[in-house]
Amino acid sequence: MLLWLCTAAGAVALVVLAGVLLLPRGRHSRDRNLTYSICFYLHDRSVMDHYQMRNYTAALRKEVEQRTSDSSDGTIRATVFGVGAGGGRRDNQEIVSKYMEVAEPISVIGVIMDVLEARNVIVHVDLVNETVRRGAALTGALAAAGPVPRARGTVRLRDIEDFVLIRGRFRKISETDESTVLLAPYGDPEDASRGPRVRVTCATEGLRNEVPQGTFSARCLGKVQDWNATDAVLEVQAMAIFR
């Protein structure tokens, strides 16, 4: 099973301008439905930190209420909302935190992604096809970045301050008790050690399944950290990874 996102073809060569990774914009797709497969990484604390800073907890609570109302699992709803004697009133943050504690990872990330997509704060990037999806999320990200120099029709990923959902062919390059690092090339070169790459850092404690051996296709939800000009690597901090 694959979590797929729709980006148009029309890839052009990578342009590295002033030490910044550039990707051509893909055409906007009307189909924004995302099909989730295995969520093998989810860093709960990182997700909650971002939502608290961006004040998304009210939107999250609304989504959680809808999900639990539609669900046949009354146990989760009772646990989250304190239904019954002594339940009392709970604020938005407490509701969301409790839901993340008791729900399955796939349910948690489904709620998160729905809210992020509704707010147009996920920029979809396809490293394999060398495109970035056009849409409200990209427009907002570029507007926030301000007037920066870029080649016509290209996007500087380091300028995106919102979330990115990056599709690529990853491989694990290191793992310690604290962090696990994945690497994905831009495009599909024969030697992935050459040319620009995306390096994704995960907190090892957030791994829900073993990282596959060798190269594997995946989608990473995260935040761009910086462009490492020395290594030609775009650094990304991961919050969730699907395959």
Side-chain angles (χ1 to χ4, degrees), residues 66-122:
Q66 182 64 46
R67 292 291 183 99
T68 53
S69 294
D70 294 342
S71 174
S72 60
D73 192 340
T75 303
I76 290 183
R77 181 170 180 81
T79 303
V80 171
F81 292 95
V83 177
R89 178 180 176 82
R90 296 187 175 186
D91 61 22
N92 294 335
Q93 183 174 331
E94 185 179 3
I95 290 293
V96 174
S97 297
K98 197 65 178 178
Y99 182 78
M100 293 183 73
E101 289 177 7
V102 300
E104 292 293 325
I106 198 66
S107 299
V108 171
I109 198 60
V111 169
I112 291 168
M113 296 289 283
D114 284 347
V115 173
L116 287 175
E117 291 285 16
R119 293 295 184 93
N120 292 313
V121 290
I122 297 181

Coordinates of all heavy atoms in Angstrom, one line a residue, residues 66-122:
Q66 N -15.4 15.0 15.7 CA -16.1 14.4 14.5 C -15.7 12.9 14.4 O -16.5 12.1 14.1 CB -15.7 15.2 13.3 CG -16.4 14.7 12.0 CD -17.9 14.8 12.1 OE1 -18.4 15.9 12.5 NE2 -18.6 13.8 11.7
R67 N -14.4 12.7 14.5 CA -13.9 11.3 14.3 C -14.4 10.4 15.4 O -14.8 9.2 15.1 CB -12.3 11.3 14.4 CG -11.6 12.0 13.3 CD -11.7 11.2 12.0 NE -11.0 11.8 10.9 CZ -9.8 11.4 10.6 NH1 -9.2 10.4 11.2 NH2 -9.1 12.0 9.6
T68 N -14.5 10.8 16.7 CA -14.9 9.9 17.7 C -16.5 9.8 17.7 O -17.0 8.7 18.1 CB -14.5 10.5 19.1 OG1 -14.9 11.8 19.2 CG2 -13.0 10.4 19.3
S69 N -17.2 10.8 17.2 CA -18.6 10.6 17.0 C -19.0 9.6 16.0 O -20.0 8.9 16.1 CB -19.2 12.0 16.7 OG -19.1 12.9 17.7
D70 N -18.2 9.6 14.9 CA -18.5 8.7 13.8 C -18.0 7.3 14.1 O -18.4 6.3 13.4 CB -17.8 9.2 12.5 CG -18.4 10.5 12.0 OD1 -19.5 10.8 12.4 OD2 -17.7 11.2 11.2
S71 N -17.1 7.2 15.1 CA -16.5 5.9 15.4 C -17.4 5.0 16.3 O -18.2 5.6 17.1 CB -15.1 6.1 16.1 OG -14.6 4.8 16.5
S72 N -17.4 3.7 16.1 CA -18.1 2.8 16.9 C -17.4 2.5 18.2 O -18.0 1.8 19.1 CB -18.4 1.5 16.1 OG -17.2 0.9 15.8
D73 N -16.2 3.0 18.4 CA -15.4 2.7 19.6 C -15.8 3.8 20.7 O -15.2 4.8 20.8 CB -14.0 2.8 19.3 CG -13.1 2.2 20.4 OD1 -13.6 2.1 21.6 OD2 -12.0 1.8 20.2
G74 N -16.8 3.4 21.5 CA -17.2 4.3 22.6 C -16.2 4.4 23.7 O -16.2 5.4 24.4
T75 N -15.3 3.4 23.8 CA -14.3 3.5 24.8 C -13.3 4.7 24.6 O -13.0 5.4 25.6 CB -13.5 2.2 24.8 OG1 -14.3 1.1 25.0 CG2 -12.4 2.2 26.0
I76 N -12.9 4.9 23.4 CA -12.0 6.0 23.1 C -12.7 7.3 23.4 O -12.1 8.2 24.1 CB -11.5 6.0 21.7 CG1 -10.5 4.8 21.5 CG2 -10.8 7.3 21.3 CD1 -9.9 4.7 20.1
R77 N -13.9 7.4 23.0 CA -14.6 8.7 23.2 C -14.8 9.0 24.7 O -14.6 10.1 25.2 CB -16.0 8.6 22.6 CG -16.8 9.9 22.7 CD -18.1 10.0 21.9 NE -18.8 11.3 22.1 CZ -18.4 12.4 21.5 NH1 -17.4 12.5 20.7 NH2 -19.1 13.5 21.8
A78 N -15.1 7.9 25.5 CA -15.3 8.1 26.9 C -14.0 8.5 27.6 O -13.9 9.3 28.5 CB -15.8 6.8 27.5
T79 N -12.9 7.9 27.1 CA -11.6 8.2 27.7 C -11.2 9.6 27.4 O -10.6 10.3 28.2 CB -10.5 7.2 27.1 OG1 -10.9 5.9 27.4 CG2 -9.2 7.5 27.8
V80 N -11.4 10.0 26.1 CA -10.9 11.3 25.7 C -11.8 12.5 26.3 O -11.2 13.5 26.8 CB -11.0 11.4 24.2 CG1 -10.7 12.9 23.7 CG2 -10.0 10.5 23.5
F81 N -13.1 12.3 26.3 CA -14.0 13.4 26.7 C -14.5 13.2 28.1 O -15.2 14.1 28.6 CB -15.2 13.5 25.7 CG -14.8 14.0 24.4 CD1 -14.5 13.1 23.4 CD2 -14.6 15.3 24.1 CE1 -14.2 13.5 22.1 CE2 -14.3 15.8 22.9 CZ -14.0 14.9 21.8
G82 N -14.1 12.2 28.8 CA -14.5 12.0 30.2 C -16.0 11.8 30.3 O -16.6 12.3 31.3
V83 N -16.6 11.1 29.4 CA -18.1 10.9 29.4 C -18.4 10.0 30.7 O -17.7 9.0 31.0 CB -18.5 10.2 28.2 CG1 -20.0 9.9 28.2 CG2 -18.2 11.0 26.9
G84 N -19.4 10.4 31.4 CA -19.8 9.7 32.6 C -19.5 10.5 33.8 O -19.1 11.6 33.8
A85 N -19.7 9.8 35.0 CA -19.5 10.5 36.2 C -18.1 11.0 36.4 O -17.1 10.3 36.1 CB -19.8 9.5 37.4
G86 N -18.0 12.2 36.8 CA -16.7 12.8 37.1 C -15.9 13.3 35.9 O -14.7 13.6 35.9
G87 N -16.6 13.3 34.7 CA -15.9 13.6 33.5 C -15.4 15.1 33.5 O -14.3 15.3 33.2
G88 N -16.3 16.0 33.9 CA -15.9 17.4 33.9 C -15.7 18.0 32.6 O -15.8 17.3 31.5
R89 N -15.2 19.2 32.6 CA -15.0 20.0 31.4 C -13.5 19.9 31.0 O -12.6 20.0 31.9 CB -15.4 21.4 31.6 CG -15.1 22.3 30.3 CD -15.5 23.8 30.6 NE -15.1 24.6 29.5 CZ -15.9 24.7 28.4 NH1 -17.0 24.1 28.3 NH2 -15.5 25.6 27.4
R90 N -13.2 19.7 29.8 CA -11.8 19.6 29.3 C -11.5 20.6 28.2 O -12.4 20.8 27.4 CB -11.5 18.2 28.8 CG -11.6 17.1 29.9 CD -11.1 15.8 29.4 NE -11.0 14.8 30.4 CZ -10.6 13.5 30.3 NH1 -10.0 13.2 29.1 NH2 -10.6 12.7 31.3
D91 N -10.4 21.2 28.3 CA -10.1 22.2 27.3 C -9.5 21.6 26.0 O -9.3 20.3 25.9 CB -9.1 23.3 27.8 CG -7.7 22.7 28.2 OD1 -7.4 21.6 27.7 OD2 -7.0 23.3 29.0
N92 N -9.3 22.4 25.0 CA -8.9 21.9 23.7 C -7.6 21.1 23.7 O -7.5 20.0 23.2 CB -8.8 23.0 22.7 CG -10.1 23.7 22.4 OD1 -11.2 23.1 22.5 ND2 -10.0 24.9 21.9
Q93 N -6.6 21.6 24.4 CA -5.3 21.0 24.4 C -5.4 19.6 25.1 O -4.8 18.7 24.7 CB -4.3 21.9 25.1 CG -2.9 21.3 25.2 CD -1.9 22.3 25.7 OE1 -2.1 23.5 25.6 NE2 -0.9 21.7 26.4
E94 N -6.2 19.6 26.2 CA -6.3 18.3 27.0 C -7.0 17.3 26.1 O -6.6 16.1 26.1 CB -7.1 18.5 28.3 CG -7.1 17.3 29.1 CD -7.9 17.5 30.4 OE1 -8.4 18.7 30.6 OE2 -8.0 16.6 31.2
I95 N -8.0 17.7 25.4 CA -8.7 16.7 24.5 C -7.8 16.2 23.4 O -7.7 14.9 23.2 CB -9.9 17.5 23.8 CG1 -11.0 17.8 24.8 CG2 -10.5 16.6 22.7 CD1 -11.7 16.6 25.4
V96 N -7.0 17.0 22.8 CA -6.1 16.6 21.7 C -5.0 15.7 22.3 O -4.7 14.6 21.7 CB -5.5 17.8 21.0 CG1 -4.5 17.3 20.0 CG2 -6.6 18.6 20.3
S97 N -4.5 16.1 23.4 CA -3.4 15.3 24.0 C -3.9 13.9 24.4 O -3.2 12.9 24.2 CB -2.8 16.0 25.3 OG -2.3 17.3 24.9
K98 N -5.1 13.8 25.0 CA -5.6 12.6 25.4 C -5.9 11.7 24.2 O -5.7 10.5 24.3 CB -6.9 12.8 26.2 CG -7.3 11.6 27.0 CD -6.3 11.3 28.1 CE -6.8 10.1 29.0 NZ -5.8 9.8 30.0
Y99 N -6.4 12.3 23.2 CA -6.7 11.5 22.0 C -5.4 10.9 21.4 O -5.4 9.7 21.0 CB -7.4 12.4 20.9 CG -7.7 11.6 19.6 CD1 -8.9 10.8 19.6 CD2 -6.9 11.7 18.5 CE1 -9.2 10.1 18.4 CE2 -7.2 11.1 17.3 CZ -8.4 10.3 17.3 OH -8.7 9.6 16.2
M100 N -4.3 11.7 21.4 CA -3.1 11.2 20.9 C -2.5 10.0 21.7 O -1.8 9.2 21.2 CB -2.1 12.3 20.8 CG -2.4 13.4 19.8 SD -1.2 14.7 19.6 CE 0.1 13.8 18.7
E101 N -2.9 10.0 23.0 CA -2.4 9.0 23.9 C -3.1 7.6 23.7 O -2.5 6.6 23.7 CB -2.6 9.4 25.4 CG -1.7 10.5 25.9 CD -2.1 10.9 27.3 OE1 -2.9 10.2 27.9 OE2 -1.5 11.9 27.8
V102 N -4.4 7.7 23.4 CA -5.2 6.4 23.3 C -5.5 6.0 21.9 O -5.9 4.8 21.7 CB -6.5 6.6 24.1 CG1 -6.2 6.9 25.6 CG2 -7.4 7.7 23.5
A103 N -5.5 6.8 20.9 CA -5.8 6.4 19.5 C -4.7 5.8 18.9 O -3.5 5.9 19.2 CB -6.3 7.7 18.8
E104 N -5.0 5.0 17.8 CA -4.0 4.4 17.0 C -3.2 5.4 16.2 O -3.7 6.5 15.8 CB -4.6 3.4 16.0 CG -5.2 2.2 16.6 CD -4.2 1.3 17.3 OE1 -3.1 1.2 16.7 OE2 -4.5 0.7 18.3
P105 N -1.9 5.2 16.0 CA -1.1 6.2 15.2 C -1.7 6.6 13.9 O -1.6 7.8 13.6 CB 0.2 5.5 15.0 CG 0.3 4.5 16.2 CD -1.1 4.1 16.4
I106 N -2.3 5.7 13.2 CA -2.9 6.0 11.9 C -4.1 7.0 12.1 O -4.3 7.8 11.2 CB -3.3 4.7 11.1 CG1 -3.5 5.1 9.6 CG2 -4.5 4.1 11.7 CD1 -2.2 5.5 8.9
S107 N -4.8 6.8 13.2 CA -5.9 7.7 13.4 C -5.4 9.1 13.8 O -6.0 10.1 13.4 CB -6.8 7.2 14.5 OG -7.4 5.9 14.2
V108 N -4.4 9.1 14.6 CA -3.8 10.4 15.1 C -3.3 11.2 13.9 O -3.6 12.4 13.7 CB -2.7 10.2 16.1 CG1 -1.9 11.5 16.4 CG2 -3.2 9.6 17.4
I109 N -2.5 10.6 13.0 CA -1.9 11.3 11.9 C -3.0 11.7 10.9 O -2.9 12.7 10.2 CB -0.8 10.5 11.3 CG1 0.1 11.5 10.4 CG2 -1.3 9.4 10.5 CD1 0.7 12.6 11.2
G110 N -4.1 10.9 10.8 CA -5.2 11.2 9.9 C -5.8 12.5 10.3 O -6.1 13.4 9.5
V111 N -6.1 12.7 11.6 CA -6.6 13.9 12.2 C -5.7 15.1 11.9 O -6.1 16.2 11.4 CB -6.9 13.8 13.7 CG1 -7.2 15.2 14.3 CG2 -8.0 12.8 13.9
I112 N -4.4 14.9 12.1 CA -3.5 16.0 12.0 C -3.4 16.4 10.5 O -3.4 17.6 10.2 CB -2.1 15.5 12.5 CG1 -2.1 15.4 14.0 CG2 -1.0 16.5 12.0 CD1 -0.9 14.7 14.5
M113 N -3.3 15.5 9.6 CA -3.2 15.8 8.2 C -4.4 16.5 7.7 O -4.3 17.4 6.9 CB -2.9 14.5 7.4 CG -1.6 13.9 7.7 SD -0.2 14.8 7.1 CE -0.2 14.4 5.4
D114 N -5.6 16.1 8.1 CA -6.8 16.7 7.7 C -6.9 18.2 8.1 O -7.3 19.1 7.3 CB -8.1 16.0 8.3 CG -8.4 14.7 7.6 OD1 -7.8 14.5 6.5 OD2 -9.2 13.9 8.1
V115 N -6.4 18.5 9.3 CA -6.4 19.9 9.8 C -5.4 20.7 9.0 O -5.7 21.8 8.6 CB -6.2 19.9 11.3 CG1 -6.0 21.4 11.7 CG2 -7.3 19.3 12.1
L116 N -4.2 20.1 8.8 CA -3.2 20.9 8.1 C -3.6 21.1 6.6 O -3.4 22.2 6.1 CB -1.9 20.1 8.1 CG -1.1 20.0 9.4 CD1 0.1 19.1 9.3 CD2 -0.7 21.4 9.8
E117 N -4.2 20.1 6.0 CA -4.6 20.3 4.6 C -5.7 21.4 4.5 O -5.8 22.2 3.6 CB -5.1 19.0 4.0 CG -4.0 18.0 3.8 CD -3.2 18.3 2.6 OE1 -3.2 19.4 2.1 OE2 -2.5 17.4 2.1
A118 N -6.7 21.4 5.5 CA -7.7 22.4 5.5 C -7.2 23.8 5.7 O -7.8 24.7 5.2 CB -8.7 22.0 6.6
R119 N -6.1 23.9 6.4 CA -5.5 25.2 6.7 C -4.5 25.6 5.6 O -3.9 26.7 5.6 CB -4.8 25.2 8.0 CG -5.7 25.1 9.2 CD -6.6 26.3 9.3 NE -7.4 26.3 10.5 CZ -7.0 26.8 11.7 NH1 -5.9 27.5 11.8 NH2 -7.9 26.7 12.8
N120 N -4.3 24.7 4.6 CA -3.4 25.0 3.5 C -2.0 25.3 3.9 O -1.4 26.3 3.5 CB -3.9 26.1 2.6 CG -5.2 25.7 1.8 OD1 -5.3 24.7 1.2 ND2 -6.2 26.6 1.9
V121 N -1.5 24.5 4.8 CA -0.1 24.7 5.3 C 0.8 23.5 5.0 O 1.8 23.3 5.7 CB -0.1 25.0 6.8 CG1 -0.7 26.4 7.0 CG2 -0.8 24.0 7.6
I122 N 0.4 22.6 4.1 CA 1.3 21.5 3.7 C 1.7 21.8 2.2 O 0.9 21.8 1.3 CB 0.7 20.2 3.8 CG1 0.3 19.8 5.2 CG2 1.6 19.1 3.3 CD1 -0.3 18.5 5.4

